[in-house]
Amino acid sequence: MLAVRDIGAGTEAAARIADSRLGATVSVQQLDLASMRSIRSAAADLRASYPRIDLLINNAGLVAFTKGSTEEGFELHFGVCHLGHFALTGLLLDTLMNTPGARIVTVSSFGHRMAGDGIDFADPHWQRRPYKWVQAYGQAKLANLLFTYELQRRLAAASGTNAIAVAAHPGTTKTQLVRDAPISIRLQNRLLGGLRQGAAMGALPILRAATDPTVVGGQYFGPGGLGELRGYPRIVSSSATSRNAPLQRRLWEMSEDLTGVRYSV
């Protein structure tokens, strides 16, 4: 199942997967993580269609060089990469918890270290301060890890489920993520192109987190090369801020309030 914002692009991707894997059945679900209305509709469709969900990969990512907002007015990075994933996971959680061995994989970035002092709870949507895309991106990626670690703690304490939450990051990869970047950043990417790996290699940490039978909840996977920029996947460390349990709980409570999605754990 591919949950996608662009149905046309998703249908093309599903066809390529089906053509490359004999017997594969791939379906497409419309989902716009910048809209709580779309998230709730997609989650309802998925719950109705699938009595079990073995794997959920929260993989949406973006880089917005100018400030943007979701349908609800959330800052775009924070709204899509964190709050959207938080809401979708919460709405599917009962199905995941009732599926033996289910995994929730959330894609972060080594850019989570660019979040400065962490989450600005007084102004998470950059309404009172000058917008800085690097810090906004870092805040969202930090939130991905804070969410993963708090979710894993709650799943581990819940009875009747062995579902786990893990995280991964792709390193630096040759994708279309910065296609709308200012020319200075596009030139920089071109100059540093030799440091970036292909998208297939960048996907390996996510795939390992999703499929390796030895994975345990709360682990974080990334490329094993210098600076976690490229290479084959291994368990990597995250910032001390991401491991701050009171910060994880505070973000969780704020996320429930902002999205209106209350978790069953």
Side-chain angles (χ1 to χ4, degrees), residues 151-227:
L151 176 58
Q152 173 56 32
R153 181 164 31 251
R154 290 169 181 250
L155 288 171
S159 60
T161 185
N162 62 351
I164 61 172
V166 296
H169 81 83
T172 178
T173 59
K174 298 175 182 177
T175 68
Q176 297 298 310
L177 188 64
V178 294
R179 59 186 177 274
D180 298 322
I183 189 169
S184 60
I185 294 177
R186 294 202 301 271
L187 287 173
Q188 181 183 30
N189 277 345
R190 186 170 297 179
L191 290 172
L192 298 176
L195 296 176
R196 295 187 295 157
Q197 59 186 359
M201 281 295 293
L204 290 183
I206 303 163
L207 292 174
R208 182 174 178 187
T211 63
D212 185 341
T214 68
V215 169
V216 298
Q219 288 181 326
Y220 181 38
F221 293 88
L226 181 65

Side-chain angles (χ1 to χ4, degrees), residues 60-71:
L62 60 92
V63 177
F65 297 96
T66 57
K67 184 183 174 184
S69 299
T70 69
E71 194 173 274

Side-chain angles (χ1 to χ4, degrees), residues 64-111:
F65 297 96
T66 57
K67 184 183 174 184
S69 299
T70 69
E71 194 173 274
E72 289 71 32
F74 306 143
E75 189 275 321
L76 200 57
H77 293 99
F78 195 67
V80 170
C81 299
H82 169 59
L83 293 173
H85 287 148
F86 180 92
L88 180 66
T89 303
L91 292 167
L92 297 177
L93 191 64
D94 286 346
T95 304
L96 287 156
M97 290 178 65
N98 289 327
T99 303
R103 292 188 192 185
I104 301 154
V105 180
T106 299
V107 180
S108 182
S109 166
F110 55 67

Side-chain angles (χ1 to χ4, degrees), residues 18-63:
D19 288 344
S20 65
R21 292 291 181 268
L22 186 63
T25 300
V26 188
S27 55
V28 177
Q29 169 68 50
Q30 204 283 327
L31 169 65
D32 183 356
L33 288 169
S35 165
M36 285 300 305
R37 176 174 42 83
S38 175
I39 294 167
R40 289 184 178 277
S41 175
D45 290 344
L46 292 170
R47 289 196 305 269
S49 300
Y50 299 97
R52 60 179 290 152
I53 299 176
D54 296 277
L55 173 65
L56 172 64
I57 301 181
N58 291 319
N59 188 46
L62 60 92
V63 177

Side-chain angles (χ1 to χ4, degrees), residues 113-126:
R113 300 179 185 274
M114 302 187 296
D117 295 330
I119 307 296
D120 189 331
F121 289 96
D123 188 23
H125 307 303
W126 297 81

